[in-house]
Amino acid sequence: MSKEIHSVRVDKRSSVTLEQVAKHAGVSRATASRIVRHSTNVSADTRNKVLESMRELGYVYDRVAANLRSRKSATVGLIINDIANPVFAEMLIGVHQELDAHGYTVILGTTYELADKQDSLISTMLEYRVGGVIMGSVPGTSKETIERLSQLDIPVVLVREPPGEDFDYVVVDNVFGAQIAMEYLIGNGHRRISFLGGPPELAPWRDRIAGYRKALFHAGIQVDESLIIASPTSRQGGTDAVHQILRHPNPPTAVLCYNDIVAFGVMNGLREAGLMAGRDLAVVGFDDIPEAALSYPKLTTVTGSPRLVGATAASLLHQRITGMDNAPKRIILKPELVIRESCSSYLKL
Amino acid sequence: MSKEIHSVRVDKRSSVTLEQVAKHAGVSRATASRIVRHSTNVSADTRNKVLESMRELGYVYDRVAANLRSRKSATVGLIINDIANPVFAEMLIGVHQELDAHGYTVILGTTYELADKQDSLISTMLEYRVGGVIMGSVPGTSKETIERLSQLDIPVVLVREPPGEDFDYVVVDNVFGAQIAMEYLIGNGHRRISFLGGPPELAPWRDRIAGYRKALFHAGIQVDESLIIASPTSRQGGTDAVHQILRHPNPPTAVLCYNDIVAFGVMNGLREAGLMAGRDLAVVGFDDIPEAALSYPKLTTVTGSPRLVGATAASLLHQRITGMDNAPKRIILKPELVIRESCSSYLKL
DNA sequence: CTGAAAGCGCTAACAA
DNA sequence: TTGTTAGCGCTTTCAG
């Protein structure tokens, strides 16, 4: 159904058709078609004749018509929350590069975290007969929505949080990521380490906290629950959280942040308090967005590599679309710690 | 022609067709079509019957087929250099938001500054029968390329540097932007002001330099050519340039940078020299990319508003596509100066 | 308000 | 190697 879509749709210029080219060259439409499709069963002579006619008439191949007839599609949909969010922007870059290299055209949709919007986006994409969909949108990736795609036999690959077991997905190992960050901090002599920011209801948060606890446990350090502060996943959230932790009767010497954005907020809050990340408080981020290498001090962070995640998802989708492999694929990327400046330990305790 | 494209193209699932829906509902295909298109000439009764059949059969409208038959298109192409470049990312956001709101689907292409790539992108877009194209790519926007589109009667709107007079375009007034930045600096007591970074062969550079000179002239300050240093438009370019200017026998007290990226490089170079933007040297950027508000110190910069530029271009294209107005449109955005921290003048001279 | 017939621009058998 | 005949899934006259 094409409900709620009252979009502008505009007259296509009536271009030169294959038929006209064929006539001009004195061959049949089928022959002209063969040439346009690089079929080998054409004599060099007619080929040149037809090519010449195309040039003369200014012919432009109509891929839309061709796809309709041949029942093929080389477009895929990508759904993300918001391009302005660096993590998604990076994911988009990864997806686009990978897919572009394989000749796909990508239709981009943004949900701004609205579940309704997501559904309507998927509808539109289906109407455009996409060959597959990558869903980077989170949360709101309801099981029903995805199953709708499954039923239509459209390959889907998810980024983060698979809502079931039969889906392809790629995620980063958040538990592991948090753990290596903590081990680094602990190795630097820190014993009181805070976890700041993020939404406790989301899987990535739970996983990162799990890694946080795990590392503490292995180091024989008792978890101090008052050092864990959830807050909005935003700069402001980070700033608020650090102000709060600074008032703690026994404040931490290091903080692991839910992600880089929060970490930037933390560094900001520190400055507001006349303090400095690295010198007065070790801070570690998560995701390694490009800005992390550009801040002052440069942020030590765990590579979530959203770009790699995107590229991986795209490659998975490509495999699935071309049917090279039909087993459900789950890819779990092992993050690494990128050590920069925000934990310089000249203040080692 | 479909040359050089050997892309993967995959079987489309054979979905339920309007024909089948019509049969199921006991009406003709034409009637079903009327319903799907929200035509009014249908009785509520048959409408419901058909709608019900669609639901039962899981019908999905085929917009591709519909567009073919009705000779319409609701997709437009956007060509940019590189998504990873914040300026273009912002432009993409603006374009996408605006176009999305009008029901268009956007096909994204990236050139990475390769002229060849740009041509092949345009070919692909034409093959997909886009209704219009926005070219944010620079340089390499050859006159021929654009005229090719003109001849096919495809609306184009350019961002930056129109290569002729008959094209729609939107640009920011770079002369004015540089001028207000300079006036601010001069008003703060600076007399020796440097212009750092950027490619002298590009129009934006020439315009910004023109504004730089103009402001100096109005203030009765002689231009010192040794204070103008071109360098790659990158962080490294900025860092190199500031290192160079720092060795000047009579160094400047302020710098106007070609753009924000260069400005970040400058701030970086300053730190490497134990100096600090704002305190030891006033630095102004250009473009106002999101990162400008997040750096330390926060960057004072001229709003190039790439997002607004994108949205404006999109809106122009929309007008042109719907034929609401056929006069060539040139929009020149007046930039503003966003004063933040990188020029705090406690070091006023 | 509804249906029959034609056809958008192309590809896919099948013959020749 | 080439042409002929269908027809992808939809919209569009034009009748009724």
Side-chain angles (χ1 to χ4, degrees):
Chain A
M1 274 147 294
S2 71
K3 44 184 170 185
E4 87 284 86
I5 310 230
H6 297 251
S7 57
V8 204
R9 317 180 70 63
V10 119
D11 284 344
K12 230 198 265 192
R13 66 256 117 253
S14 50
S15 36
V16 180
T17 71
L18 248 198
E19 173 97 57
Q20 297 172 44
V21 169
K23 196 155 293 171
H24 182 102
V27 299
S28 76
R29 203 160 76 239
T31 302
S33 174
R34 283 188 188 97
I35 287 158
V36 104
R37 282 176 294 137
H38 309 103
S39 172
T40 45
N41 303 331
V42 183
S43 76
D45 217 44
T46 40
R47 150 164 286 118
N48 289 333
K49 219 168 38 184
V50 173
L51 251 25
E52 178 52 29
S53 293
M54 288 179 171
R55 214 165 291 123
E56 265 183 56
L57 301 181
Y59 172 73
V60 178
Y61 183 59
D62 191 330
R63 210 166 275 278
V64 177
N67 281 350
L68 172 62
R69 177 58 237 241
S70 59
R71 321 185 95 252
K72 291 179 182 171
S73 160
T75 59
V76 316
L78 169 64
I79 298 181
I80 58 178
N81 278 357
D82 181 6
I83 321 177
N85 180 327
V87 173
F88 289 112
E90 281 290 299
M91 199 185 293
L92 164 60
I93 292 172
V95 168
H96 188 263
Q97 280 184 347
E98 181 73 19
L99 255 26
D100 196 48
H102 288 288
Y104 291 95
T105 289
V106 1
I107 297 182
L108 176 65
T110 47
T111 64
Y112 302 102
E113 315 208 12
L114 272 35
D116 289 7
K117 176 78 176 163
Q118 189 178 63
D119 280 346
S120 75
L121 275 174
I122 289 181
S123 296
T124 304
M125 288 176 177
L126 289 177
E127 293 183 358
Y128 275 108
R129 294 298 187 264
V130 293
V133 176
I134 294 176
M135 310 239 296
S137 186
V138 51
T141 311
S142 76
K143 190 161 181 161
E144 301 81 57
T145 315
I146 302 171
E147 275 172 350
R148 187 176 157 207
L149 291 166
S150 287
Q151 277 161 21
L152 288 167
D153 218 32
I154 310 238
V156 181
V157 6
L158 303 170
V159 176
R160 311 180 179 208
E161 294 176 289
E165 273 308 302
D166 307 326
F167 306 106
D168 289 2
Y169 63 83
V170 17
V171 288
V172 311
D173 187 337
N174 282 308
V175 178
F176 179 78
Q179 206 180 338
I180 57 176
M182 289 297 286
E183 281 163 3
Y184 169 71
L185 255 13
I186 293 167
N188 272 4
H190 295 281
R191 313 250 98 203
R192 290 190 63 71
I193 306 173
S194 192
F195 187 98
L196 260 34
E201 67 278 10
L202 255 42
W205 192 90
R206 290 195 298 267
D207 290 346
R208 289 170 194 188
I209 275 289
Y212 168 85
R213 292 179 189 279
K214 198 165 162 188
L216 250 19
F217 176 80
H218 283 164
I221 302 172
Q222 175 95 36
V223 175
D224 178 347
E225 299 291 341
S226 68
L227 254 29
I228 299 176
I229 300 180
S231 73
T233 310
S234 61
R235 287 179 79 92
Q236 192 56 51
T239 302
D240 293 348
V242 75
H243 281 159
Q244 191 176 332
I245 206 68
L246 252 22
R247 290 193 303 268
H248 194 286
N250 184 190
T253 60
V255 303
L256 174 58
C257 301
Y258 173 67
N259 69 9
D260 291 347
I261 308 282
V262 169
F264 291 141
V266 164
M267 297 209 283
N268 214 55
L270 248 21
R271 272 194 291 265
E272 289 173 5
L275 268 26
M276 169 96 138
R279 193 189 57 202
D280 304 306
L281 185 72
V283 358
V284 179
F286 216 112
D287 282 346
D288 194 26
I289 61 179
E291 289 82 350
L294 312 180
S295 63
Y296 179 69
K298 299 193 180 82
L299 185 63
T300 290
T301 186
V302 177
T303 53
S305 282
R307 191 184 294 207
L308 177 60
V309 170
T312 308
S315 144
L316 231 57
L317 186 65
H318 172 59
Q319 285 176 41
R320 181 45 62 88
I321 285 180
T322 50
M324 278 150 55
D325 187 351
N326 280 320
K329 290 254 184 190
R330 305 113 208 266
I331 294 197
I332 297 169
L333 264 19
K334 284 289 175 195
E336 288 170 20
L337 184 68
V338 182
I339 298 173
R340 286 196 269 250
E341 305 170 344
S342 61
C343 305
S344 319
S345 27
Y346 26 96
L347 212 225
K348 220 175 261 176
L349 312 183
Chain B
M1 277 148 290
S2 70
K3 43 183 170 183
E4 86 284 86
I5 309 230
H6 298 249
S7 56
V8 203
R9 318 180 69 65
V10 120
D11 284 343
K12 230 198 268 192
R13 65 254 114 253
S14 48
S15 36
V16 180
T17 71
L18 247 199
E19 173 96 59
Q20 299 173 42
V21 169
K23 195 155 292 174
H24 182 103
V27 299
S28 75
R29 202 159 76 237
T31 301
S33 173
R34 283 188 187 95
I35 287 158
V36 104
R37 281 175 296 136
H38 309 105
S39 171
T40 45
N41 303 331
V42 183
S43 76
D45 217 43
T46 40
R47 150 164 286 118
N48 290 332
K49 220 167 38 183
V50 173
L51 252 24
E52 178 53 27
S53 294
M54 288 179 171
R55 213 163 292 122
E56 265 183 57
L57 301 181
Y59 173 71
V60 178
Y61 183 60
D62 191 330
R63 211 166 274 278
V64 176
N67 281 351
L68 172 62
R69 177 59 238 243
S70 59
R71 322 187 92 251
K72 291 176 182 174
S73 160
T75 58
V76 316
L78 169 64
I79 297 181
I80 58 179
N81 278 357
D82 181 6
I83 321 176
N85 180 328
V87 173
F88 289 113
E90 281 290 300
M91 198 186 290
L92 164 61
I93 292 172
V95 168
H96 188 263
Q97 280 183 347
E98 181 73 19
L99 254 25
D100 196 48
H102 288 288
Y104 291 95
T105 290
V106 4
I107 296 182
L108 176 65
T110 46
T111 64
Y112 301 103
E113 315 210 11
L114 271 35
D116 289 7
K117 176 80 176 163
Q118 191 179 62
D119 281 346
S120 75
L121 276 174
I122 289 181
S123 296
T124 305
M125 289 176 177
L126 289 176
E127 293 183 357
Y128 275 107
R129 294 299 187 264
V130 293
V133 176
I134 294 175
M135 309 239 295
S137 186
V138 51
T141 312
S142 75
K143 191 159 181 163
E144 300 81 57
T145 315
I146 303 172
E147 274 172 351
R148 187 177 157 206
L149 291 166
S150 286
Q151 278 160 19
L152 288 167
D153 218 32
I154 312 238
V156 181
V157 6
L158 302 171
V159 176
R160 316 181 178 204
E161 293 178 289
E165 272 309 302
D166 308 326
F167 306 106
D168 290 2
Y169 62 84
V170 18
V171 286
V172 312
D173 188 337
N174 282 309
V175 178
F176 180 78
Q179 206 180 339
I180 57 176
M182 289 298 286
E183 281 163 4
Y184 168 72
L185 254 14
I186 293 167
N188 272 3
H190 295 282
R191 312 251 99 201
R192 290 191 62 70
I193 307 173
S194 193
F195 187 97
L196 259 36
E201 66 279 9
L202 254 43
W205 192 90
R206 291 194 298 266
D207 290 345
R208 289 170 194 188
I209 276 288
Y212 167 85
R213 293 180 188 277
K214 197 165 165 189
L216 250 19
F217 177 79
H218 283 164
I221 302 173
Q222 175 94 35
V223 176
D224 179 347
E225 299 292 341
S226 68
L227 254 30
I228 299 177
I229 300 180
S231 73
T233 310
S234 62
R235 289 179 77 91
Q236 192 55 51
T239 302
D240 293 347
V242 76
H243 280 159
Q244 191 177 334
I245 206 68
L246 252 23
R247 289 193 302 266
H248 193 287
N250 183 191
T253 61
V255 303
L256 174 57
C257 300
Y258 173 67
N259 70 9
D260 290 347
I261 308 282
V262 169
F264 291 141
V266 165
M267 297 209 284
N268 214 54
L270 248 20
R271 270 194 292 267
E272 289 174 4
L275 268 24
M276 170 96 136
R279 192 190 59 201
D280 303 307
L281 184 72
V283 358
V284 180
F286 216 110
D287 283 346
D288 194 25
I289 60 178
E291 288 83 349
L294 311 180
S295 63
Y296 179 70
K298 299 192 180 85
L299 185 64
T300 289
T301 186
V302 177
T303 53
S305 282
R307 192 183 294 208
L308 178 60
V309 169
T312 308
S315 146
L316 231 58
L317 186 65
H318 172 60
Q319 286 177 40
R320 180 46 62 87
I321 285 181
T322 51
M324 278 149 55
D325 186 352
N326 280 321
K329 291 254 185 188
R330 305 114 207 267
I331 295 198
I332 297 169
L333 264 17
K334 283 288 176 195
E336 288 170 22
L337 184 69
V338 183
I339 297 173
R340 288 197 269 250
E341 305 170 344
S342 60
C343 306
S344 317
S345 27
Y346 25 96
L347 212 226
K348 220 176 261 177
L349 313 184

